[in-house]
Amino acid sequence: SRPFLLPGGFITPKVQLHTSNYQFEDASSTRPRSKSFAIPTLSLDSGLVYERDTTLLGRGYLQTLEPRAFYTYTPYRDQSMVPLYDTALTNFNFSSIYSENSYTGRDRIADNNMVTLGLTTRYLRADNGAEVARFGVAQRLRFEDQRVGLGYDTLGEKGWSDVLVGAGVSLNQRWSFDSTVQYNRDVGRTTRASISGRYTPGPYKTLSAAYRYQRANSLQIAN
């Protein structure tokens, strides 16, 4: 990867090559004794950062407006003959929506041809730059159906994904809260939501709690 930092934004092109080799002792007529594959991935991450002075609840802050576009492409390679040793589906959140692979581990590299569009605004303290509040929205557009899967997950379909909406608030150095909502436009309802809080009474003490909601049999276009 090669980040290019601009006065008001960034551009980061990235090239990856995933190589793996498997040797099987329980070879059968349907599974070879060995399997190797090399899968390339191309991605381009870009964003802008606008800033302005603003007032919120009688206090002065520096507000940012940060549009972001992330494109990734990975060609399809058949990996169905490889067992799942340490691979699982990642959660659909603000970290994974801007990532190249939908899975953890190395047993599956998802084929992707998609772009993620997002918009974030932050409120920063003018004196030290500490983040007081954050609000964001993001959605993914898939140009081709995903074919690589785990056998039990819902593969990404061509078209727009669910909409992610998130917010975070830091009341002070001790109390902070984060929340995320996943909304499915096709069914017109929230399919997943979470809220978490953190209390830090000291430098080595942190207490946290979280509540998560997921609608049963929800339709998830995106992984």
Side-chain angles (χ1 to χ4, degrees):
S1 64
R2 173 63 168 90
F4 295 92
L5 302 180
L6 308 175
F10 68 93
I11 299 176
T12 306
K14 186 177 182 180
V15 179
Q16 301 180 65
L17 181 63
H18 312 271
T19 60
S20 299
N21 176 267
Y22 294 83
Q23 302 289 334
F24 305 109
E25 295 182 356
D26 56 341
S28 62
S29 58
T30 60
R31 178 182 296 173
R33 290 187 175 274
S34 63
K35 177 62 181 178
S36 300
F37 52 79
I39 305 175
T41 295
L42 306 176
S43 65
L44 179 64
D45 196 2
S46 61
L48 298 173
V49 180
Y50 299 97
E51 298 179 351
R52 70 165 186 171
D53 295 324
T54 186
T55 302
L56 181 65
L57 300 178
R59 295 184 178 181
Y61 295 99
L62 179 67
Q63 183 187 8
T64 68
L65 186 65
E66 307 170 28
R68 183 178 177 181
F70 175 80
Y71 173 78
T72 182
Y73 174 75
T74 302
Y76 170 75
R77 297 290 188 271
D78 184 13
Q79 305 158 56
S80 59
M81 73 294 296
V82 176
L84 297 174
Y85 295 109
D86 62 352
T87 295
L89 180 67
T90 59
N91 291 326
F92 188 55
N93 52 40
F94 279 94
S95 296
S96 64
I97 200 172
Y98 292 107
S99 63
E100 291 84 2
N101 192 17
S102 305
Y103 305 116
T104 63
R106 296 302 175 189
D107 302 319
R108 293 292 186 275
I109 305 298
D111 55 311
N112 288 319
N113 183 12
M114 59 190 182
V115 60
T116 298
L117 303 176
L119 183 65
T120 302
T121 182
R122 307 174 195 268
Y123 287 85
L124 310 176
R125 290 184 55 177
D127 54 349
N128 58 13
E131 183 180 281
V132 177
R134 178 188 69 258
F135 306 94
V137 60
Q139 192 174 19
R140 174 185 290 169
L141 175 60
R142 189 179 292 273
F143 300 107
E144 299 176 359
D145 290 343
Q146 180 183 336
R147 300 170 60 186
V148 176
L150 304 181
Y152 59 84
D153 58 324
T154 302
L155 297 181
E157 299 177 358
K158 181 180 179 180
W160 289 100
S161 70
D162 291 354
V163 180
L164 277 181
V165 179
V169 176
S170 297
L171 300 180
N172 48 48
Q173 295 181 351
R174 295 187 176 184
W175 288 97
S176 61
F177 298 89
D178 284 283
S179 63
T180 303
V181 174
Q182 179 178 336
Y183 179 78
N184 190 304
R185 299 186 307 161
D186 294 338
V187 298
R189 64 189 183 188
T190 299
T191 58
R192 182 181 300 175
S194 65
I195 182 171
S196 62
R198 176 176 296 180
Y199 173 65
T200 306
Y204 303 104
K205 298 179 181 179
T206 299
L207 301 177
S208 61
Y211 170 78
R212 295 179 176 86
Y213 159 82
Q214 181 172 354
R215 184 181 293 270
N217 300 323
S218 61
L219 298 177
Q220 278 186 258
I221 298 177
N223 293 328

